[in-house]
Amino acid sequence: MLNSPQAEAVRSLDNPLLVLAGAGCGKTRVIIEKMIHIMQIKFCRPEQLYAITFTNKAAKEMQKRISKRLPNSEQICISTFHALGLQILKSETKHSGLRPGFSILDPGESSKIIQELVPRGIKKHLISELQWQISSWKNAGFRPSEISTTVPLNRDIYRQYLAYMNHINAVDFDDLIALSLWLLQDNPDVKARWQKKIAYLLVDEYQDTNACQYQLLKCLTDCGSHITCVGDDDQSIYGWRGAQPENLGLLAADFKNLQVIKLEQNYRSTETILKAANAVVQHNPHPFEKSIWSDLGSGELIAISSYDSIEEEAEQIATAIDFSTQHKHAQHTDFALLYRSNQQAKFIEQAFRKRNIPYHISGGRSFFDYAEIKDLMAYLRLLVNPRDNSAFLRVINTPKRGIGMHTIKRISQISKLRNLSFLQTCNQSDLSNQLDPKIAAKVRHFSDMITTLSRSRLPAETVLNQLLAQTDYINWIQHSANNQLAKINKTKLITDFVKWINAICNKQTTQLDDLINILSLQTNHDEEQQQGVALMTLHAAKGLEFKQVYLIGVEEGILPHSNSMDEADDPQQALEEERRLMYVGMTRAKSKLHISYVKKRKRKHPGQEKIATGPSRFIKEIPAEFIQTANSPERKQKIKQNFAALRAQLNQNP
DNA sequence: AGCTACGCATTTTTT
DNA sequence: ATGCGTAGCT
């Protein structure tokens, strides 16, 4: 059953709608019910219904939930912002300046391109700063011509970057949104077509939209009535990526007759957890007043513990979870450990492995981060997009075929002179005049293989198998692995990739270029192997819930993170965002929240001495009435139990 | 000359 | 456990 504001949000179809929903108040549910409602009253055809999320995970989850309720749900367009951008760019190649088969580059590749555009000898951190600058300009929706900067050189590099990306027929993640926006702005007829195509637009996690995404939304709906945005300003944690929680306010200014509905009843957490989280986030200024409440009872107090070292923190938590699962009927999946940065997971993993506690890490290293997968992706990209120099550079000598840096430099020079891509240059008939004939033969062998395969028009899975066979890739991987385990793991990686591709091909498209684009936007393969205790960053935890949550490393310098304030142009805003991160973490817990901090922690790289760190200021913002203090009788009792359990275990396996 | 292999510093959050 | 710089090696 929906509560009355939820039901009102679902039924409100005649005006633009903003749903301000607190954590755990059922905002995703509103989106799903609203889609079902729209379909049931036949307000539009399913392919005209668009739901936009930020992560693939959220999109998948939504797709799954709606497929249980509607027969033709797969025709509804549920996608991420980036996937929508891709869809627009792909269907409008006539106007975008891109050619079919264009590549999506990852940030590593885009960094290398910037490196090439910048004067030689520029320090690495300046390059990443420039990359960040370009990204921010795109996130703001600024074209090079629209920028007034104190450093005109940066703007020139931005311009050159866009030109080079176009030359190699590639886009980066930010381009998917920015180029889509510019395309619609420049072509009113295309814009009109898309506005017609989208009968109703629903946006999840609206507070995470950046200026560019906001403008895109405005373009797609023409400030029309058929938009529903769902968001929570207290959960805006992507400011560093250009997200503007101000977009919540802009909506009222730009969309006529905006209706605002608040969802304030929380169905997730106990009153204790909710009140404590609210008390923390109330230290931030609030343009929109919300008062979240719950009728789930007060429940347990929040446990706050301090430890001498990160190792001890990990050991104690592992022991406690072990104890709960063995003696208190708790499931491993009831628990989540949340932390500020990925590296904090390392010690927890060690402690968990020692005790054979099952766990999974989400968000960390993904399938697509493995060099082998990047190699194969680059091969596939090059087949579809012969202008993709980034892909070319990755695979020209992988596996090693005796083509080294100097040869590559030479190919690059010739390419520049003739305004060709690297692969096109390799296909030139006079190549053997330009290079050492022996090396030219090797280069030619490579380019022939690529060209033949790309012309073959074979189905994706066959192409991949051919590629693996002709490059002898698996053999090379096994040869380069230095131990047996690595050999097995890497081979499995490849076979998993092949399986993965077969699965996608069987399900939908066999077009190689579609396949590659889908894969490029896939960051982690969060397949249903989500067993055991969940380990993830606070960012990755948004939208999820767990019976018991451990927030670890809640110290000054970690949460709030020192870098976030040092590097921000507005430290106050950065601090507020860190506080919201704390709020998001706390509100993930349904019944029990544990918070811990460490007294001494290894600091940065130089000299590895441990430095004393204090508990986070956010801990002090939790009213004492909700806290079960570390030296309370219950706490002491628990420590005794844990210690006994640990000793028993150590005695069992000496 | 040009390529391969061994070694040294690196992590805030993500599509 | 990756990416870049400097040696040996063919």
Side-chain angles (χ1 to χ4, degrees):
Chain A
M1 264 306 275
L2 295 168
N3 64 30
S4 75
Q6 284 176 334
E8 194 186 350
V10 166
R11 285 194 306 261
S12 162
L13 294 170
D14 302 325
N15 44 271
L17 174 67
L18 171 62
V19 180
L20 277 173
C25 295
K27 61 188 168 59
T28 308
R29 179 141 182 250
V30 164
I31 291 186
I32 287 167
E33 295 297 336
K34 188 154 186 168
M35 286 196 281
I36 293 167
H37 179 64
I38 292 171
M39 284 296 98
Q40 282 172 348
I41 62 163
K42 301 221 167 24
F43 181 74
C44 69
R45 282 176 290 137
E47 64 270 22
Q48 290 180 292
L49 185 54
Y50 279 70
I52 309 297
T53 64
F54 274 84
T55 64
N56 293 309
K57 201 166 154 191
K60 240 184 220 168
E61 173 72 18
M62 217 178 256
Q63 186 72 255
K64 200 173 101 190
R65 278 166 70 173
I66 203 156
S67 69
K68 288 183 184 154
R69 307 273 301 275
L70 281 177
N72 48 2
S73 65
E74 64 290 335
Q75 291 177 61
I76 299 175
C77 180
I78 301 177
S79 79
T80 63
F81 258 106
H82 291 83
L84 174 67
L86 174 66
Q87 203 186 323
I88 294 173
L89 292 181
K90 252 185 131 85
S91 61
E92 308 292 343
T93 41
K94 259 184 213 157
H95 301 92
S96 67
L98 292 163
R99 298 144 196 260
F102 63 82
S103 307
I104 301 170
L105 268 51
D106 68 36
E109 292 170 307
S110 107
S111 160
K112 278 183 186 140
I113 286 168
I114 293 168
Q115 220 167 56
E116 292 294 316
L117 295 175
V118 147
R120 291 185 77 74
I122 294 277
K123 290 272 181 298
K124 234 184 129 184
H125 73 271
L126 280 174
I127 289 172
S128 61
E129 218 162 88
L130 187 55
Q131 184 180 15
W132 182 85
Q133 170 78 88
I134 290 174
S135 173
S136 325
W137 278 329
K138 286 181 187 171
N139 287 165
F142 294 150
R143 314 182 200 213
S145 60
E146 294 167 339
I147 291 161
S148 58
T149 167
T150 47
V151 193
L153 178 69
N154 287 0
R155 184 185 49 202
D156 291 343
I157 291 166
Y158 180 25
R159 188 174 279 124
Q160 287 172 45
Y161 176 77
L162 286 175
Y164 182 75
M165 289 292 274
N166 189 269
H167 176 244
I168 63 170
N169 195 28
V171 298
D172 63 26
F173 287 137
D174 301 322
D175 286 332
L176 289 169
I177 318 286
L179 294 184
S180 298
L181 172 66
W182 298 337
L183 175 74
L184 296 181
Q185 286 176 337
D186 296 343
N187 301 281
D189 49 322
V190 178
K191 189 166 105 174
R193 209 168 63 235
W194 274 89
Q195 285 173 356
K196 228 180 200 170
K197 196 176 156 86
I198 299 177
Y200 210 104
L201 189 59
L202 299 113
V203 185
D204 197 12
E205 305 284 10
Y206 174 74
Q207 76 284 347
D208 289 335
T209 52
N210 60 38
C212 195
Q213 287 160 336
Y214 177 63
Q215 288 190 69
L216 186 62
L217 291 178
K218 278 206 300 185
C219 263
L220 289 173
T221 59
D222 194 27
C223 300
S225 53
H226 297 156
I227 186 168
T228 294
C229 298
V230 179
D232 178 6
D233 49 328
D234 285 330
Q235 291 186 75
S236 166
I237 54 176
Y238 286 102
W240 50 276
R241 211 169 75 179
Q244 299 191 129
E246 306 92 278
N247 287 349
L248 289 160
L250 281 180
L251 216 52
D254 289 344
F255 288 75
K256 269 185 235 160
N257 309 321
L258 178 76
Q259 184 187 4
V260 180
I261 294 176
K262 288 185 195 175
L263 304 183
E264 296 176 306
Q265 182 176 3
N266 174 295
Y267 294 96
R268 179 188 294 153
S269 310
T270 64
E271 284 177 297
T272 301
I273 292 167
L274 212 54
K275 282 178 183 165
N278 271 332
V280 171
V281 86
Q282 281 309 317
H283 286 76
N284 282 349
H286 275 79
F288 308 98
E289 277 312 322
K290 284 196 308 290
S291 53
I292 317 275
W293 57 279
S294 149
D295 62 2
L296 298 178
S298 54
E300 286 187 69
L301 292 174
I302 297 169
I304 298 185
S305 331
S306 72
Y307 301 105
D308 288 331
S309 67
I310 24 182
E311 289 86 354
E312 195 202 332
E313 183 182 47
E315 291 293 318
Q316 291 291 336
I317 293 174
T319 309
I321 292 178
D322 216 12
F323 184 82
S324 294
T325 50
Q326 285 181 23
H327 305 290
K328 288 184 160 180
H329 312 293
Q331 302 292 308
H332 285 112
T333 45
D334 294 343
F335 297 92
L337 269 70
L338 310 182
Y339 36 81
R340 176 67 233 262
S341 66
N342 278 309
Q343 58 196 115
Q344 290 173 260
K346 212 175 86 186
F347 298 92
I348 303 291
E349 278 195 85
Q350 274 172 19
F352 278 15
R353 264 200 295 252
K354 209 157 92 184
R355 288 172 180 73
N356 283 324
I357 299 175
Y359 68 90
H360 72 270
I361 297 183
S362 37
R365 240 138 248 106
S366 99
F367 188 60
F368 292 90
D369 286 339
Y370 289 99
E372 291 76 15
I373 302 303
K374 283 185 179 171
D375 289 344
L376 295 183
M377 282 294 292
Y379 268 113
L380 296 179
R381 268 165 47 188
L382 193 57
L383 290 177
V384 166
N385 177 15
R387 303 169 77 100
D388 191 336
N389 288 350
S390 298
F392 177 95
L393 290 174
R394 183 160 191 109
V395 298
I396 176 67
N397 204 24
T398 316
K400 300 272 181 275
R401 39 175 83 83
I403 301 168
M405 205 173 61
H406 285 84
T407 309
I408 293 165
K409 279 266 149 66
R410 186 82 195 101
I411 293 172
S412 162
Q413 279 174 359
I414 303 167
S415 304
K416 259 189 202 127
L417 286 172
R418 303 186 181 180
N419 198 28
L420 292 172
S421 76
F422 295 168
L423 184 65
Q424 287 164 339
T425 300
C426 296
N427 280 327
Q428 295 283 298
S429 52
D430 66 338
L431 186 74
S432 42
N433 304 333
Q434 304 287 336
L435 301 172
D436 179 291
K438 263 188 179 168
I439 293 176
K442 291 176 185 172
V443 172
R444 180 50 60 84
H445 181 255
F446 170 78
S447 68
D448 282 350
M449 175 187 73
I450 298 294
T451 312
T452 311
L453 261 179
S454 72
R455 285 194 188 139
S456 70
R457 301 266 161 233
L458 290 164
E461 33 190 321
T462 320
V463 168
L464 187 59
N465 283 326
Q466 290 261 328
L467 209 53
L468 287 170
Q470 291 188 26
T471 55
D472 203 15
Y473 191 81
I474 291 179
N475 242 326
W476 179 72
I477 287 303
Q478 294 187 335
H479 178 74
S480 68
N482 37 18
N483 62 60
Q484 199 58 35
L485 186 67
K487 232 178 234 191
I488 295 168
N489 283 338
K490 289 182 177 198
T491 311
K492 187 178 180 312
L493 208 59
I494 309 292
T495 50
D496 281 353
F497 185 62
V498 175
K499 270 187 214 158
W500 178 267
I501 284 192
N502 286 343
I504 295 179
C505 288
N506 290 337
K507 217 166 40 182
Q508 32 184 306
T509 169
T510 336
Q511 281 285 311
L512 192 54
D513 57 340
D514 291 332
L515 180 77
I516 293 162
N517 285 334
I518 292 168
L519 291 176
S520 299
L521 291 183
Q522 216 78 46
T523 42
N524 46 1
H525 68 153
D526 33 41
E527 284 305 85
E528 52 275 14
Q529 39 161 316
Q530 302 201 344
Q531 285 164 359
V533 181
L535 268 58
M536 67 187 84
T537 63
L538 288 162
H539 285 87
K542 192 164 66 155
L544 304 177
E545 58 179 35
F546 304 91
K547 272 192 189 152
Q548 298 206 40
V549 167
Y550 285 85
L551 296 183
I552 67 170
V554 186
E555 295 145 41
E556 280 298 300
I558 303 281
L559 183 67
H561 202 284
S562 44
N563 290 359
S564 74
M565 276 124 83
D566 296 348
E567 282 166 32
D569 18 78
D570 188 342
Q572 187 56 39
Q573 265 185 27
L575 176 67
E576 287 166 15
E577 180 155 316
E578 296 289 305
R579 187 177 278 114
R580 291 192 290 267
L581 217 35
M582 177 81 178
Y583 174 77
V584 167
M586 293 175 79
T587 52
R588 297 311 99 195
K590 290 159 85 166
S591 55
K592 176 82 185 182
L593 177 62
H594 310 256
I595 296 174
S596 59
Y597 60 94
V598 165
K599 291 171 190 158
K600 278 185 178 176
R601 179 177 293 271
K602 273 180 200 162
R603 267 321 206 180
K604 303 243 160 150
H605 357 81
Q608 298 225 328
E609 77 227 56
K610 293 183 179 182
I611 282 184
T613 53
S616 165
R617 67 192 81 182
F618 302 147
I619 290 181
K620 292 166 197 148
E621 292 170 3
I622 302 173
E625 54 182 306
F626 303 127
I627 295 174
Q628 163 198 335
T629 47
N631 37 9
S632 68
E634 300 108 288
R635 171 78 189 143
K636 278 186 178 162
Q637 177 63 27
K638 198 166 190 179
I639 290 174
K640 251 188 201 168
Q641 283 175 346
N642 292 345
F643 187 68
L646 179 67
R647 256 225 320 242
Q649 241 181 26
L650 288 176
N651 289 339
Q652 270 174 21
N653 335 294

